[in-house]
Structure formats: structure tokens, C-alpha cells
Short mmCIF file of all heavy atoms in Angstrom, two decimals:
data_model
loop_
_atom_site.label_atom_id
_atom_site.label_comp_id
_atom_site.label_asym_id
_atom_site.label_seq_id
_atom_site.Cartn_x
_atom_site.Cartn_y
_atom_site.Cartn_z
N LEU A 1 -26.98 -1.55 15.43
CA LEU A 1 -25.65 -1.30 14.86
C LEU A 1 -25.61 -1.82 13.42
O LEU A 1 -26.04 -2.94 13.15
CB LEU A 1 -24.57 -2.00 15.69
CG LEU A 1 -23.16 -1.94 15.11
CD1 LEU A 1 -22.61 -0.53 15.16
CD2 LEU A 1 -22.24 -2.89 15.84
N GLN A 2 -25.10 -1.02 12.52
CA GLN A 2 -24.92 -1.42 11.12
C GLN A 2 -23.45 -1.25 10.75
O GLN A 2 -22.86 -0.21 11.02
CB GLN A 2 -25.79 -0.56 10.20
CG GLN A 2 -27.27 -0.69 10.47
CD GLN A 2 -28.09 0.34 9.72
OE1 GLN A 2 -27.54 1.32 9.21
NE2 GLN A 2 -29.39 0.15 9.64
N ASP A 3 -22.87 -2.28 10.16
CA ASP A 3 -21.49 -2.19 9.72
C ASP A 3 -21.44 -2.41 8.22
O ASP A 3 -22.38 -2.93 7.62
CB ASP A 3 -20.61 -3.21 10.46
CG ASP A 3 -19.17 -2.75 10.58
OD1 ASP A 3 -18.79 -1.79 9.87
OD2 ASP A 3 -18.43 -3.34 11.37
N HIS A 4 -20.34 -2.02 7.61
CA HIS A 4 -20.22 -1.99 6.15
C HIS A 4 -19.46 -3.21 5.65
O HIS A 4 -18.25 -3.32 5.86
CB HIS A 4 -19.51 -0.71 5.71
CG HIS A 4 -20.19 0.53 6.15
ND1 HIS A 4 -20.03 1.04 7.42
CD2 HIS A 4 -21.05 1.36 5.52
CE1 HIS A 4 -20.76 2.14 7.53
NE2 HIS A 4 -21.38 2.35 6.40
N TYR A 5 -20.17 -4.10 4.97
CA TYR A 5 -19.52 -5.29 4.44
C TYR A 5 -18.74 -4.97 3.18
O TYR A 5 -19.18 -4.19 2.34
CB TYR A 5 -20.56 -6.38 4.15
CG TYR A 5 -20.95 -7.14 5.39
CD1 TYR A 5 -22.12 -6.85 6.07
CD2 TYR A 5 -20.10 -8.11 5.91
CE1 TYR A 5 -22.45 -7.54 7.23
CE2 TYR A 5 -20.41 -8.80 7.06
CZ TYR A 5 -21.60 -8.51 7.72
OH TYR A 5 -21.91 -9.18 8.87
N MET A 6 -17.58 -5.59 3.09
CA MET A 6 -16.69 -5.37 1.94
C MET A 6 -16.19 -6.72 1.45
O MET A 6 -15.92 -7.62 2.24
CB MET A 6 -15.50 -4.50 2.36
CG MET A 6 -14.48 -4.28 1.26
SD MET A 6 -12.97 -3.52 1.88
CE MET A 6 -13.57 -1.92 2.36
N ALA A 7 -16.10 -6.87 0.13
CA ALA A 7 -15.54 -8.07 -0.47
C ALA A 7 -14.38 -7.67 -1.38
O ALA A 7 -14.59 -7.04 -2.41
CB ALA A 7 -16.60 -8.82 -1.27
N MET A 8 -13.16 -8.00 -0.96
CA MET A 8 -11.99 -7.63 -1.74
C MET A 8 -11.56 -8.79 -2.64
O MET A 8 -11.46 -9.94 -2.19
CB MET A 8 -10.83 -7.24 -0.81
CG MET A 8 -11.07 -5.97 -0.02
SD MET A 8 -11.14 -4.49 -1.05
CE MET A 8 -9.39 -4.14 -1.26
N LEU A 9 -11.32 -8.48 -3.90
CA LEU A 9 -10.85 -9.46 -4.86
C LEU A 9 -9.35 -9.28 -5.07
O LEU A 9 -8.87 -8.15 -5.18
CB LEU A 9 -11.58 -9.28 -6.20
CG LEU A 9 -13.11 -9.27 -6.13
CD1 LEU A 9 -13.70 -9.00 -7.51
CD2 LEU A 9 -13.63 -10.58 -5.57
N ASN A 10 -8.62 -10.37 -5.13
CA ASN A 10 -7.16 -10.33 -5.24
C ASN A 10 -6.69 -10.85 -6.60
O ASN A 10 -7.22 -11.84 -7.11
CB ASN A 10 -6.52 -11.18 -4.14
CG ASN A 10 -6.66 -10.54 -2.78
OD1 ASN A 10 -5.96 -9.59 -2.45
ND2 ASN A 10 -7.58 -11.06 -1.97
N PHE A 11 -5.67 -10.18 -7.14
CA PHE A 11 -5.10 -10.57 -8.44
C PHE A 11 -3.58 -10.51 -8.36
O PHE A 11 -3.03 -9.49 -7.94
CB PHE A 11 -5.59 -9.63 -9.55
CG PHE A 11 -7.10 -9.61 -9.71
CD1 PHE A 11 -7.87 -8.76 -8.94
CD2 PHE A 11 -7.71 -10.45 -10.63
CE1 PHE A 11 -9.25 -8.74 -9.08
CE2 PHE A 11 -9.10 -10.44 -10.77
CZ PHE A 11 -9.87 -9.59 -10.00
N ARG A 12 -2.93 -11.58 -8.79
CA ARG A 12 -1.47 -11.55 -8.88
C ARG A 12 -1.05 -10.71 -10.09
O ARG A 12 -1.78 -10.59 -11.07
CB ARG A 12 -0.91 -12.96 -9.03
CG ARG A 12 -1.12 -13.85 -7.81
CD ARG A 12 -0.45 -15.20 -8.05
NE ARG A 12 -0.65 -16.10 -6.91
CZ ARG A 12 -1.67 -16.95 -6.80
NH1 ARG A 12 -2.59 -17.00 -7.76
NH2 ARG A 12 -1.79 -17.73 -5.76
N THR A 13 0.15 -10.14 -10.00
CA THR A 13 0.67 -9.34 -11.11
C THR A 13 2.20 -9.42 -11.12
O THR A 13 2.83 -9.71 -10.09
CB THR A 13 0.23 -7.87 -10.98
OG1 THR A 13 0.81 -7.11 -12.04
CG2 THR A 13 0.69 -7.26 -9.67
N ASP A 14 2.77 -9.16 -12.27
CA ASP A 14 4.23 -9.07 -12.37
C ASP A 14 4.73 -7.69 -11.99
O ASP A 14 5.94 -7.48 -11.80
CB ASP A 14 4.69 -9.41 -13.80
CG ASP A 14 4.44 -10.87 -14.15
OD1 ASP A 14 4.44 -11.70 -13.23
OD2 ASP A 14 4.24 -11.16 -15.35
N ALA A 15 3.82 -6.72 -11.91
CA ALA A 15 4.21 -5.36 -11.54
C ALA A 15 4.56 -5.30 -10.06
O ALA A 15 4.03 -6.05 -9.24
CB ALA A 15 3.08 -4.39 -11.86
N GLU A 16 5.45 -4.38 -9.72
CA GLU A 16 5.88 -4.25 -8.32
C GLU A 16 4.75 -3.67 -7.48
O GLU A 16 4.11 -2.69 -7.85
CB GLU A 16 7.11 -3.34 -8.23
CG GLU A 16 7.71 -3.31 -6.84
CD GLU A 16 9.03 -2.55 -6.80
OE1 GLU A 16 9.40 -1.95 -7.83
OE2 GLU A 16 9.68 -2.55 -5.74
N SER A 17 4.50 -4.29 -6.33
CA SER A 17 3.45 -3.84 -5.43
C SER A 17 4.07 -3.27 -4.15
O SER A 17 5.28 -3.09 -4.06
CB SER A 17 2.50 -5.00 -5.08
OG SER A 17 3.16 -5.95 -4.25
N LEU A 18 3.24 -3.01 -3.17
CA LEU A 18 3.73 -2.41 -1.92
C LEU A 18 4.49 -3.37 -1.03
O LEU A 18 5.02 -2.95 0.01
CB LEU A 18 2.55 -1.82 -1.13
CG LEU A 18 1.94 -0.52 -1.65
CD1 LEU A 18 0.77 -0.10 -0.77
CD2 LEU A 18 2.97 0.60 -1.71
N ILE A 19 4.58 -4.66 -1.38
CA ILE A 19 5.30 -5.57 -0.48
C ILE A 19 6.79 -5.23 -0.42
O ILE A 19 7.49 -5.64 0.51
CB ILE A 19 5.11 -7.06 -0.86
CG1 ILE A 19 5.71 -7.37 -2.22
CG2 ILE A 19 3.65 -7.45 -0.80
CD1 ILE A 19 5.75 -8.87 -2.52
N SER A 20 7.28 -4.46 -1.41
CA SER A 20 8.69 -4.06 -1.40
C SER A 20 8.87 -2.62 -0.93
O SER A 20 9.93 -2.02 -1.14
CB SER A 20 9.29 -4.23 -2.79
OG SER A 20 8.52 -3.56 -3.76
N ALA A 21 7.83 -2.06 -0.28
CA ALA A 21 7.89 -0.64 0.12
C ALA A 21 8.89 -0.38 1.24
O ALA A 21 9.50 0.69 1.30
CB ALA A 21 6.50 -0.17 0.55
N ALA A 22 9.07 -1.35 2.12
CA ALA A 22 9.89 -1.11 3.32
C ALA A 22 11.38 -1.28 3.03
O ALA A 22 12.04 -2.17 3.55
CB ALA A 22 9.46 -2.04 4.44
N SER A 23 11.90 -0.39 2.19
CA SER A 23 13.32 -0.42 1.87
C SER A 23 13.99 0.81 2.47
O SER A 23 13.34 1.82 2.72
CB SER A 23 13.52 -0.42 0.35
OG SER A 23 13.11 0.82 -0.20
N PRO A 24 15.30 0.76 2.69
CA PRO A 24 16.00 1.95 3.19
C PRO A 24 15.83 3.16 2.28
O PRO A 24 15.73 4.30 2.75
CB PRO A 24 17.47 1.49 3.26
CG PRO A 24 17.40 0.00 3.39
CD PRO A 24 16.20 -0.41 2.60
N GLU A 25 15.81 2.92 0.96
CA GLU A 25 15.65 4.02 0.01
C GLU A 25 14.29 4.70 0.17
O GLU A 25 14.19 5.93 0.17
CB GLU A 25 15.81 3.50 -1.43
CG GLU A 25 17.19 2.99 -1.78
CD GLU A 25 17.45 1.57 -1.25
OE1 GLU A 25 16.48 0.90 -0.82
OE2 GLU A 25 18.61 1.15 -1.28
N ASN A 26 13.23 3.89 0.33
CA ASN A 26 11.89 4.46 0.50
C ASN A 26 11.73 5.14 1.85
O ASN A 26 11.01 6.13 1.97
CB ASN A 26 10.84 3.37 0.32
CG ASN A 26 10.69 2.93 -1.12
OD1 ASN A 26 10.99 3.69 -2.04
ND2 ASN A 26 10.25 1.69 -1.32
N ALA A 27 12.40 4.60 2.88
CA ALA A 27 12.37 5.26 4.19
C ALA A 27 13.03 6.63 4.11
O ALA A 27 12.53 7.61 4.69
CB ALA A 27 13.06 4.38 5.24
N ALA A 28 14.13 6.71 3.39
CA ALA A 28 14.84 7.99 3.22
C ALA A 28 13.99 8.96 2.41
O ALA A 28 13.95 10.17 2.69
CB ALA A 28 16.18 7.76 2.55
N LEU A 29 13.27 8.45 1.41
CA LEU A 29 12.41 9.29 0.59
C LEU A 29 11.26 9.86 1.41
O LEU A 29 10.92 11.05 1.27
CB LEU A 29 11.88 8.47 -0.59
CG LEU A 29 11.05 9.21 -1.65
CD1 LEU A 29 11.88 10.30 -2.32
CD2 LEU A 29 10.51 8.22 -2.68
N LEU A 30 10.68 9.04 2.27
CA LEU A 30 9.60 9.52 3.13
C LEU A 30 10.12 10.58 4.10
O LEU A 30 9.47 11.62 4.31
CB LEU A 30 8.99 8.35 3.92
CG LEU A 30 7.86 8.72 4.88
CD1 LEU A 30 6.64 9.21 4.13
CD2 LEU A 30 7.49 7.52 5.77
N GLN A 31 11.30 10.33 4.66
CA GLN A 31 11.84 11.25 5.65
C GLN A 31 12.27 12.58 5.03
O GLN A 31 12.05 13.64 5.61
CB GLN A 31 13.04 10.60 6.36
CG GLN A 31 13.58 11.41 7.53
CD GLN A 31 14.64 10.64 8.30
OE1 GLN A 31 15.18 9.66 7.84
NE2 GLN A 31 14.92 11.10 9.52
N SER A 32 12.83 12.52 3.84
CA SER A 32 13.38 13.74 3.23
C SER A 32 12.35 14.53 2.42
O SER A 32 12.37 15.76 2.41
CB SER A 32 14.57 13.39 2.33
OG SER A 32 14.16 12.54 1.26
N GLU A 33 11.43 13.80 1.76
CA GLU A 33 10.50 14.48 0.84
C GLU A 33 9.03 14.23 1.16
O GLU A 33 8.15 14.80 0.51
CB GLU A 33 10.79 14.06 -0.60
CG GLU A 33 12.21 14.39 -1.05
CD GLU A 33 12.45 14.00 -2.50
OE1 GLU A 33 11.47 14.00 -3.28
OE2 GLU A 33 13.61 13.69 -2.85
N GLY A 34 8.75 13.36 2.13
CA GLY A 34 7.37 13.09 2.51
C GLY A 34 6.56 12.44 1.42
O GLY A 34 5.36 12.72 1.26
N ARG A 35 7.17 11.56 0.65
CA ARG A 35 6.45 10.88 -0.43
C ARG A 35 7.05 9.49 -0.63
O ARG A 35 7.93 9.07 0.11
CB ARG A 35 6.54 11.69 -1.73
CG ARG A 35 7.94 11.87 -2.28
CD ARG A 35 7.94 12.67 -3.57
NE ARG A 35 9.29 12.79 -4.13
CZ ARG A 35 9.83 11.91 -4.96
NH1 ARG A 35 9.14 10.84 -5.33
NH2 ARG A 35 11.06 12.09 -5.44
N GLY A 36 6.52 8.80 -1.64
CA GLY A 36 7.02 7.46 -1.95
C GLY A 36 6.10 6.38 -1.42
O GLY A 36 5.06 6.65 -0.80
N PRO A 37 6.46 5.11 -1.65
CA PRO A 37 5.58 3.99 -1.28
C PRO A 37 5.21 3.94 0.20
O PRO A 37 4.10 3.50 0.54
CB PRO A 37 6.41 2.76 -1.69
CG PRO A 37 7.31 3.24 -2.77
CD PRO A 37 7.65 4.65 -2.39
N LEU A 38 6.10 4.37 1.09
CA LEU A 38 5.78 4.31 2.51
C LEU A 38 4.75 5.37 2.92
O LEU A 38 4.18 5.28 4.01
CB LEU A 38 7.05 4.46 3.35
CG LEU A 38 7.96 3.24 3.37
CD1 LEU A 38 9.25 3.53 4.15
CD2 LEU A 38 7.25 2.03 3.98
N SER A 39 4.50 6.35 2.05
CA SER A 39 3.45 7.33 2.34
C SER A 39 2.08 6.81 1.90
O SER A 39 1.06 7.49 2.11
CB SER A 39 3.75 8.66 1.64
OG SER A 39 3.57 8.54 0.23
N SER A 40 2.04 5.63 1.29
CA SER A 40 0.79 5.08 0.79
C SER A 40 -0.16 4.74 1.93
O SER A 40 0.24 4.15 2.94
CB SER A 40 1.04 3.82 -0.05
OG SER A 40 -0.18 3.21 -0.41
N ASN A 41 -1.42 5.10 1.76
CA ASN A 41 -2.46 4.68 2.72
C ASN A 41 -3.04 3.33 2.33
O ASN A 41 -4.04 2.90 2.91
CB ASN A 41 -3.58 5.73 2.77
CG ASN A 41 -4.40 5.75 1.51
OD1 ASN A 41 -3.85 5.81 0.41
ND2 ASN A 41 -5.72 5.69 1.64
N ILE A 42 -2.44 2.67 1.38
CA ILE A 42 -2.79 1.35 0.83
C ILE A 42 -4.08 1.42 0.01
O ILE A 42 -4.09 1.08 -1.17
CB ILE A 42 -2.85 0.27 1.93
CG1 ILE A 42 -1.46 0.16 2.61
CG2 ILE A 42 -3.26 -1.07 1.34
CD1 ILE A 42 -1.36 -0.91 3.68
N GLY A 43 -5.18 1.87 0.60
CA GLY A 43 -6.41 2.04 -0.16
C GLY A 43 -6.37 3.35 -0.93
O GLY A 43 -7.12 4.28 -0.64
#
């Protein structure tokens, strides 16, 4: 068995990230238009 090793590097930023994706506005955007931060696959 061979598995794929990954090393992720993390950086803080002042820009808005996905931690604020779960908002009512974004939920409505996903439901109505199928887009927005909640449609993100993260990678």
C-alpha cells in the first residue's frame, strides 16, 4: 500500500477566509444560485 504524504503550510491574513462562510446570506446564495463560499470544495 502506498499513500500520498502532504505537508500543508499555514499563513494568517487580514483577508476574509472561509471561516465566515456559514452565514444565512451565503446559505441563501447557495440555495438560489448554486454559488458562493458554501460551494467551495476548500482545496
